[in-house]
Amino acid sequence: MAGGTSPCASCKLLRRRCAKDCVFAPYFPPDDPHKFAIVHKVFGASNISKMLQELPVQQRGDAVSSLVYEANARMRDPVYGCVGAISYLQNQVSQLQMQLAVAQAEILCIQMQQNHDDNHMIVPLLPASNYCPQLDDIIISDKSHLLFATNYN
């Protein structure tokens, strides 16, 4: 009971007396019982207590925040937890980088076609692959650099 009259959320959930030196009290206040309940369900009170006691006091708040985040992620995805969310976002970034590279290549082809046109006539806005067959020869390496396999002469 760190300074208050009500037991912390962990002691309340575990139905035990909250001591003055309760390791959970500073991080699991009585007004937020769900926070401890979800962490307890995923990690167990004994493991949480051991983890917190092994850490310096100044790092415990961050550790509890991480445990709460991971516990919530584990409830949504029991197999991968937050790693599943990270992997999904990394794949999404890769796909968007690929789309950006293709769009930049199309812009480059349009610009090269316009510069190559001796008559300076207006080029109709067609898909770049219609008048830039070199677009089919693009090799994308390192997901951020475009290398062209054909010569634009």
Side-chain angles (χ1 to χ4, degrees), residues 8-138:
C8 68
S10 62
C11 292
K12 193 181 286 187
L13 181 76
L14 299 172
R15 294 190 175 117
R16 65 182 183 195
R17 189 172 165 267
C18 192
K20 289 181 183 179
D21 62 343
C22 176
V23 70
F24 297 119
Y27 314 106
F28 299 103
D31 60 342
D32 194 5
H34 179 71
K35 183 177 175 181
F36 179 76
I38 194 163
V39 173
H40 170 60
K41 185 173 183 174
V42 173
F43 298 106
S46 177
N47 290 329
I48 300 165
S49 176
K50 289 176 192 174
M51 283 188 260
L52 290 178
Q53 288 173 346
E54 289 177 5
L55 289 172
V57 176
Q58 63 271 19
Q59 293 179 353
R60 291 179 182 176
D62 291 336
V64 168
S65 295
S66 295
L67 288 170
V68 171
Y69 182 82
E70 178 64 26
N72 281 312
R74 286 276 168 197
M75 295 303 287
R76 285 189 304 275
D77 185 351
V79 175
Y80 295 109
C82 65
V83 174
I86 292 168
S87 178
Y88 170 78
L89 292 172
Q90 285 176 332
N91 286 336
Q92 196 172 15
V93 166
S94 292
Q95 289 175 356
L96 292 171
Q97 286 174 332
M98 189 73 77
Q99 290 174 5
L100 176 61
V102 169
Q104 288 172 332
E106 288 179 355
I107 290 170
L108 183 62
C109 282
I110 291 169
Q111 289 173 343
M112 291 175 68
Q113 181 68 30
Q114 288 175 347
N115 288 340
H116 192 296
D117 188 8
D118 294 333
N119 298 332
H120 299 288
M121 294 175 54
I122 298 174
V123 177
L125 291 177
L126 299 172
S129 58
N130 285 3
Y131 56 92
C132 190
Q134 297 88 347
L135 195 58
D136 296 332
D137 297 330
I138 293 175

